[in-house]
Short mmCIF file of all heavy atoms in Angstrom, two decimals:
data_model
loop_
_atom_site.label_atom_id
_atom_site.label_comp_id
_atom_site.label_asym_id
_atom_site.label_seq_id
_atom_site.Cartn_x
_atom_site.Cartn_y
_atom_site.Cartn_z
N SER A 7 -26.18 -2.68 -27.95
CA SER A 7 -24.93 -2.01 -27.82
C SER A 7 -24.00 -2.54 -26.74
O SER A 7 -22.88 -2.53 -26.90
CB SER A 7 -25.10 -0.56 -27.63
OG SER A 7 -25.73 0.11 -28.85
N TYR A 8 -24.64 -3.08 -25.72
CA TYR A 8 -23.86 -3.52 -24.59
C TYR A 8 -24.02 -4.98 -24.22
O TYR A 8 -23.64 -5.43 -23.20
CB TYR A 8 -24.15 -2.68 -23.30
CG TYR A 8 -23.71 -1.30 -23.37
CD1 TYR A 8 -24.39 -0.23 -23.95
CD2 TYR A 8 -22.35 -0.92 -22.87
CE1 TYR A 8 -23.96 1.09 -24.06
CE2 TYR A 8 -21.87 0.32 -23.10
CZ TYR A 8 -22.63 1.38 -23.53
OH TYR A 8 -22.15 2.59 -23.67
N HIS A 9 -24.31 -5.70 -25.22
CA HIS A 9 -24.47 -7.17 -25.10
C HIS A 9 -23.17 -7.82 -24.78
O HIS A 9 -22.28 -7.69 -25.52
CB HIS A 9 -25.02 -7.77 -26.42
CG HIS A 9 -25.29 -9.23 -26.33
ND1 HIS A 9 -26.19 -9.86 -25.44
CD2 HIS A 9 -24.75 -10.31 -26.98
CE1 HIS A 9 -26.09 -11.20 -25.59
NE2 HIS A 9 -25.26 -11.43 -26.53
N LYS A 10 -23.13 -8.43 -23.64
CA LYS A 10 -21.85 -9.10 -23.12
C LYS A 10 -20.65 -8.16 -23.10
O LYS A 10 -19.44 -8.63 -23.33
CB LYS A 10 -21.45 -10.42 -24.01
CG LYS A 10 -22.45 -11.45 -23.96
CD LYS A 10 -21.93 -12.71 -24.64
CE LYS A 10 -22.91 -13.89 -24.35
NZ LYS A 10 -22.38 -15.10 -24.98
N LYS A 11 -20.85 -6.89 -22.59
CA LYS A 11 -19.81 -5.99 -22.54
C LYS A 11 -19.50 -5.51 -21.07
O LYS A 11 -18.54 -4.80 -20.89
CB LYS A 11 -20.01 -4.68 -23.52
CG LYS A 11 -19.82 -5.05 -24.93
CD LYS A 11 -20.09 -3.85 -25.78
CE LYS A 11 -19.88 -4.26 -27.26
NZ LYS A 11 -20.10 -3.13 -28.20
N VAL A 12 -20.42 -5.84 -20.24
CA VAL A 12 -20.31 -5.40 -18.80
C VAL A 12 -19.74 -6.44 -17.90
O VAL A 12 -20.25 -7.57 -17.89
CB VAL A 12 -21.68 -4.90 -18.31
CG1 VAL A 12 -21.65 -4.60 -16.78
CG2 VAL A 12 -22.34 -3.85 -19.12
N LYS A 13 -18.58 -6.18 -17.23
CA LYS A 13 -18.02 -7.09 -16.38
C LYS A 13 -18.70 -7.20 -14.92
O LYS A 13 -18.80 -8.22 -14.36
CB LYS A 13 -16.56 -6.79 -16.17
CG LYS A 13 -15.70 -7.69 -15.29
CD LYS A 13 -15.48 -9.07 -16.03
CE LYS A 13 -14.44 -9.88 -15.25
NZ LYS A 13 -13.07 -9.55 -15.74
N MET A 14 -19.20 -6.09 -14.53
CA MET A 14 -19.78 -6.11 -13.16
C MET A 14 -21.00 -5.18 -13.12
O MET A 14 -20.95 -4.08 -13.65
CB MET A 14 -18.69 -5.44 -12.10
CG MET A 14 -19.16 -5.20 -10.75
SD MET A 14 -17.95 -4.42 -9.71
CE MET A 14 -19.07 -3.57 -8.45
N ILE A 15 -21.98 -5.76 -12.46
CA ILE A 15 -23.24 -5.00 -12.08
C ILE A 15 -23.31 -5.01 -10.57
O ILE A 15 -23.24 -5.89 -9.98
CB ILE A 15 -24.51 -5.78 -12.80
CG1 ILE A 15 -24.38 -5.69 -14.30
CG2 ILE A 15 -25.72 -4.97 -12.35
CD1 ILE A 15 -25.61 -6.43 -14.91
N TYR A 16 -23.51 -3.76 -10.13
CA TYR A 16 -23.87 -3.61 -8.73
C TYR A 16 -25.15 -2.75 -8.71
O TYR A 16 -25.24 -1.66 -9.37
CB TYR A 16 -22.74 -2.93 -7.98
CG TYR A 16 -23.28 -2.54 -6.62
CD1 TYR A 16 -23.41 -3.40 -5.50
CD2 TYR A 16 -23.65 -1.23 -6.28
CE1 TYR A 16 -23.98 -3.13 -4.35
CE2 TYR A 16 -24.26 -0.88 -5.09
CZ TYR A 16 -24.35 -1.95 -4.10
OH TYR A 16 -24.92 -1.57 -2.87
N ILE A 17 -26.10 -3.19 -8.03
CA ILE A 17 -27.27 -2.47 -7.78
C ILE A 17 -27.78 -2.50 -6.34
O ILE A 17 -27.56 -3.49 -5.61
CB ILE A 17 -28.52 -2.87 -8.63
CG1 ILE A 17 -28.85 -4.48 -8.45
CG2 ILE A 17 -28.21 -2.65 -10.12
CD1 ILE A 17 -30.04 -4.84 -9.11
N ASP A 18 -28.50 -1.36 -5.96
CA ASP A 18 -29.05 -1.34 -4.53
C ASP A 18 -30.45 -0.93 -4.70
O ASP A 18 -30.80 0.23 -4.65
CB ASP A 18 -28.22 -0.21 -3.80
CG ASP A 18 -28.67 -0.10 -2.36
OD1 ASP A 18 -29.30 -1.07 -1.92
OD2 ASP A 18 -28.42 1.01 -1.74
N PRO A 19 -31.34 -1.97 -5.17
CA PRO A 19 -32.72 -1.56 -5.49
C PRO A 19 -33.56 -1.18 -4.25
O PRO A 19 -33.02 -1.43 -3.14
CB PRO A 19 -33.23 -2.84 -6.11
CG PRO A 19 -32.46 -3.91 -5.40
CD PRO A 19 -31.03 -3.25 -5.18
N PRO A 20 -34.76 -0.75 -4.44
CA PRO A 20 -35.65 -0.47 -3.36
C PRO A 20 -35.78 -1.74 -2.55
O PRO A 20 -35.98 -2.90 -2.95
CB PRO A 20 -36.98 0.01 -3.93
CG PRO A 20 -36.68 0.36 -5.34
CD PRO A 20 -35.42 -0.46 -5.75
N TYR A 21 -35.74 -1.61 -1.27
CA TYR A 21 -35.89 -2.75 -0.21
C TYR A 21 -37.26 -3.11 0.10
O TYR A 21 -37.47 -4.05 0.86
CB TYR A 21 -35.09 -2.45 1.06
CG TYR A 21 -33.54 -2.45 0.94
CD1 TYR A 21 -32.99 -2.66 -0.31
CD2 TYR A 21 -32.81 -2.12 2.03
CE1 TYR A 21 -31.64 -2.61 -0.47
CE2 TYR A 21 -31.36 -2.12 1.85
CZ TYR A 21 -30.80 -2.38 0.61
OH TYR A 21 -29.39 -2.29 0.50
N ASN A 22 -38.28 -2.36 -0.48
CA ASN A 22 -39.69 -2.62 -0.20
C ASN A 22 -40.01 -2.48 1.20
O ASN A 22 -40.65 -3.29 1.79
CB ASN A 22 -39.96 -4.09 -0.71
CG ASN A 22 -41.47 -4.16 -1.22
OD1 ASN A 22 -42.18 -3.11 -1.28
ND2 ASN A 22 -42.00 -5.31 -1.40
N LYS A 23 -39.63 -1.29 1.71
CA LYS A 23 -39.89 -1.01 3.11
C LYS A 23 -41.29 -0.45 3.18
O LYS A 23 -42.00 -0.40 2.20
CB LYS A 23 -38.95 -0.05 3.75
CG LYS A 23 -37.52 -0.50 3.58
CD LYS A 23 -37.15 -1.72 4.16
CE LYS A 23 -37.06 -1.61 5.57
NZ LYS A 23 -36.54 -2.92 6.17
N ASP A 24 -41.73 -0.06 4.44
CA ASP A 24 -43.02 0.45 4.51
C ASP A 24 -43.32 1.85 3.89
O ASP A 24 -44.47 2.29 3.63
CB ASP A 24 -43.32 0.65 6.06
CG ASP A 24 -43.47 -0.66 6.69
OD1 ASP A 24 -43.76 -1.63 5.96
OD2 ASP A 24 -43.25 -0.75 7.85
N LYS A 25 -42.12 2.49 3.51
CA LYS A 25 -42.32 3.79 2.88
C LYS A 25 -42.74 3.63 1.41
O LYS A 25 -42.87 2.59 0.83
CB LYS A 25 -40.94 4.70 2.92
CG LYS A 25 -39.82 3.95 2.28
CD LYS A 25 -38.61 4.71 2.50
CE LYS A 25 -37.35 4.22 1.85
NZ LYS A 25 -36.08 5.01 2.05
N ASP A 26 -42.83 4.76 0.79
CA ASP A 26 -43.33 4.71 -0.63
C ASP A 26 -42.50 3.89 -1.58
O ASP A 26 -41.30 3.86 -1.49
CB ASP A 26 -43.55 6.30 -1.22
CG ASP A 26 -44.65 6.94 -0.48
OD1 ASP A 26 -45.35 6.34 0.22
OD2 ASP A 26 -44.61 8.10 -0.63
N PHE A 27 -43.09 3.38 -2.55
CA PHE A 27 -42.53 2.55 -3.63
C PHE A 27 -42.62 3.37 -4.93
O PHE A 27 -43.69 3.68 -5.31
CB PHE A 27 -43.19 1.24 -3.74
CG PHE A 27 -42.40 0.14 -4.65
CD1 PHE A 27 -41.20 -0.31 -4.38
CD2 PHE A 27 -43.12 -0.24 -5.75
CE1 PHE A 27 -40.62 -1.15 -5.10
CE2 PHE A 27 -42.63 -1.16 -6.59
CZ PHE A 27 -41.19 -1.57 -6.25
N VAL A 28 -41.50 3.49 -5.57
CA VAL A 28 -41.45 4.47 -6.63
C VAL A 28 -41.87 3.97 -8.06
O VAL A 28 -42.57 4.53 -8.89
CB VAL A 28 -40.13 5.02 -6.89
CG1 VAL A 28 -40.04 6.08 -8.04
CG2 VAL A 28 -39.62 5.73 -5.46
N TYR A 29 -41.44 2.57 -8.33
CA TYR A 29 -41.68 2.10 -9.74
C TYR A 29 -43.05 1.60 -10.04
O TYR A 29 -43.58 0.98 -9.19
CB TYR A 29 -40.51 0.92 -9.92
CG TYR A 29 -39.17 1.46 -9.95
CD1 TYR A 29 -38.52 1.68 -8.78
CD2 TYR A 29 -38.62 1.75 -11.16
CE1 TYR A 29 -37.22 2.21 -8.71
CE2 TYR A 29 -37.33 2.21 -11.13
CZ TYR A 29 -36.60 2.44 -10.02
OH TYR A 29 -35.24 2.93 -9.94
N SER A 30 -43.64 1.99 -11.02
CA SER A 30 -44.95 1.67 -11.51
C SER A 30 -45.00 1.29 -12.96
O SER A 30 -45.27 2.09 -13.79
CB SER A 30 -45.95 2.72 -11.10
OG SER A 30 -47.27 2.42 -11.55
N ASP A 31 -44.68 0.06 -13.31
CA ASP A 31 -44.61 -0.36 -14.77
C ASP A 31 -45.92 -0.70 -15.25
O ASP A 31 -46.83 -1.23 -14.57
CB ASP A 31 -43.66 -1.56 -14.90
CG ASP A 31 -42.34 -1.44 -14.32
OD1 ASP A 31 -41.90 -0.22 -14.43
OD2 ASP A 31 -41.66 -2.36 -13.98
N THR A 32 -46.10 -0.37 -16.53
CA THR A 32 -47.44 -0.67 -17.14
C THR A 32 -47.06 -1.36 -18.54
O THR A 32 -46.49 -0.82 -19.42
CB THR A 32 -48.26 0.56 -17.49
OG1 THR A 32 -48.68 1.14 -16.20
CG2 THR A 32 -49.54 0.15 -18.24
#
């Protein structure tokens, strides 16, 4: 639905600091 429709992506992902990490893909 959104193939080649987004002009700008901004993300601020986890910085992988010493604290907990949330994402756990399987």
Side-chain angles (χ1 to χ4, degrees):
S7 296
Y8 287 91
H9 180 62
K10 291 190 175 184
K11 289 185 178 177
V12 174
K13 181 68 170 274
M14 170 180 156
I15 296 174
Y16 171 76
I17 56 172
D18 185 21
Y21 289 0
N22 207 10
K23 310 300 287 183
D24 292 335
K25 63 183 181 180
D26 291 349
F27 186 65
V28 179
Y29 293 82
S30 180
D31 300 331
T32 299

